[in-house]
Amino acid sequence: MPPADHAGRGAGRDGVEQGVERGRTRGVDGGCERGADRGFERGVALARAARRGDTLALHDLLDHLTPYISRICRPIALDDGPDATQEALVAVFTSLRSLRDPEALYGWVRGISVREAVRVAKRAARARPAESADVPERGDPQLAADIDDVLSRLSPQHRAVLVLRDVEGMDEESAAAVLGVPAGTAKSRLHRARQSFRKAWNG
Amino acid sequence: MTQTNVGRLRVMGAAIRGAHLVEGVLPSSFDEVWDVMGDLEGGFGDFQPDMRSVRVLRVDGDRVEALARSRYGMRAHFHGVLRPGWGWLQSRFLVVGMAADALDDGRTRVALTGGVRVPGRPALVPIGARGELEQAMRRLGERVR
């Protein structure tokens, strides 16, 4: 599996991280460090072989990256996570030949996945503006216990910065670079996202 | 995660320069369609272009190794993956990709890709591939009818 748990190292332990951590451990390989390193090496080796024309390696790379991309897209695009995952996969595999350094595979994939997930989530929000009324009430304990419901109260941009910082464990500058915004903007978005998340989480 | 097999094949098609993807919806059930597509030594050779016979040499989980012979006597030694609704086979010179998904109304969405490999990079020779794939789709439709 991909190095899902290179993420989260150094993340704080406030309500936001704990909440996201709960969401993360539900459907993803918990992954010890050695397993994550093996996953990293396998992904890089598959990417190298695929770029040399081995389509079976390309096939295995698709198997390998799909859960990783899904894990990034789902908390950002929520119900549209499968669409976002598909679009991110197409974007990643279309431009795989442009990846100069296969060692940078995961960072590169992560950047594309976040951008695609935000794009799909924004598009969905435009197409279904009325659904914002369906957001669960803060006082509903059953729904509030579900991380997806809490995340659904945030904007796609806020979900993206939370995923990068608190799920993927990126620093502010790297997260800002992925999102294509200045570091200060990423910082203030993260602050607002954490504040909103904490409010919703604590109900 | 609910990625469809046809969606996966679209991703593979996007990754391989020159690859064409031919899609269709067949009026038969998934089981009827996949009984033909996934039967390498039977139905597969009947609808895929230029396959006179296919012999499965080895199966290990979802990994398969097969030897195909064309009408003109050429042989292709394939390695690949075969799962319900999904097949990806590669030989030194050829690639065959196929996918099928059950639709809610009982029909089956099918997609095919493949062709002659370009050495050294993920690419297929685009010439003639679309026509062959469309022909394969027609044959498959006739075979499962």
Side-chain angles (χ1 to χ4, degrees):
Chain A
M1 295 294 287
D5 294 303
H6 279 199
R9 288 183 199 151
R13 307 307 314 164
D14 68 15
V16 178
E17 283 83 0
Q18 286 172 26
V20 175
E21 182 79 18
R22 283 175 48 190
R24 183 156 63 94
T25 53
R26 265 196 317 221
V28 185
D29 56 325
C32 66
E33 198 165 322
R34 192 178 299 170
D37 287 344
R38 273 202 301 269
F40 177 87
E41 286 165 13
R42 178 155 193 267
V44 170
L46 287 172
R48 283 190 205 283
R51 281 154 50 93
R52 287 196 299 265
D54 181 349
T55 71
L56 203 48
L58 191 70
H59 169 280
D60 291 343
L61 185 64
L62 175 58
D63 275 356
H64 182 75
L65 287 179
T66 298
Y68 180 64
I69 290 176
S70 173
R71 188 171 66 87
I72 292 168
C73 289
R74 205 182 61 84
I76 298 172
L78 302 176
D79 287 348
D80 298 293
D83 285 351
T85 300
Q86 174 69 18
E87 295 195 22
L89 281 165
V90 169
V92 163
F93 278 78
T94 301
S95 48
L96 190 63
R97 62 182 81 98
S98 74
L99 174 65
R100 285 186 186 165
D101 176 13
E103 292 282 334
L105 176 71
Y106 292 100
W108 179 77
V109 167
R110 182 169 51 207
I112 293 174
S113 302
V114 168
R115 279 194 294 275
E116 288 299 315
V118 169
R119 191 176 63 77
V120 168
K122 277 179 166 176
R123 188 178 67 199
R126 279 197 301 274
R128 300 193 297 261
E131 287 193 9
S132 58
D134 297 335
V135 167
E137 288 300 316
R138 196 191 287 179
D140 185 331
Q142 190 176 346
L143 289 173
D146 188 328
I147 188 99
D148 287 346
D149 293 326
V150 176
L151 283 170
S152 73
R153 303 176 199 201
L154 310 183
S155 69
Q157 292 93 331
H158 283 178
R159 291 197 295 267
V161 76
L162 272 182
V163 167
L164 291 177
R165 290 284 280 120
D166 295 332
V167 180
E168 290 295 304
M170 295 179 81
D171 61 34
E172 263 159 27
E173 284 195 1
S174 306
V178 168
L179 295 169
V181 297
T185 304
K187 190 174 180 177
S188 64
R189 268 189 201 172
L190 179 67
H191 176 72
R192 286 198 299 273
R194 281 178 172 165
Q195 214 167 25
S196 306
F197 190 103
R198 201 174 287 120
K199 267 188 195 169
W201 188 253
N202 294 329
Chain B
M1 193 170 56
T2 55
Q3 205 197 2
T4 63
N5 290 312
V6 172
R8 283 170 51 80
L9 203 68
R10 288 181 192 141
V11 176
M12 292 297 288
I16 299 173
R17 191 170 284 182
H20 289 292
L21 201 74
V22 172
E23 293 189 26
V25 175
L26 300 180
S28 309
S29 71
F30 173 84
D31 287 343
E32 288 167 327
V33 172
W34 194 250
D35 278 351
V36 173
M37 295 176 79
D39 178 12
L40 292 186
E41 294 189 339
F44 175 82
D46 291 344
F47 80 91
Q48 287 285 352
D50 195 22
M51 296 262 178
R52 197 186 68 190
S53 67
V54 179
R55 187 157 56 92
V56 174
L57 304 176
R58 197 167 294 121
V59 177
D60 181 10
D62 64 3
R63 301 280 150 168
V64 294
E65 188 182 338
L67 197 62
R69 201 177 278 271
S70 86
R71 274 171 295 176
Y72 307 106
M74 287 176 286
R75 290 191 302 177
H77 190 164
F78 283 106
H79 291 264
V81 175
L82 194 67
R83 302 169 186 155
W86 179 259
W88 190 266
L89 299 168
Q90 172 182 273
S91 75
R92 189 172 167 204
F93 297 113
L94 299 174
V95 165
V96 176
M98 55 187 186
D101 291 305
L103 298 176
D104 291 342
D105 60 8
R107 296 182 301 162
T108 305
R109 183 180 300 284
V110 173
L112 302 172
T113 191
V116 178
R117 296 173 69 191
V118 175
R121 56 201 171 102
L124 297 177
V125 176
I127 302 161
R130 179 174 291 280
E132 289 208 330
L133 291 167
E134 285 170 353
Q135 191 184 18
M137 185 64 84
R138 273 196 304 276
R139 279 192 201 153
L140 176 63
E142 289 163 8
R143 185 72 170 65
V144 297
R145 196 174 291 159

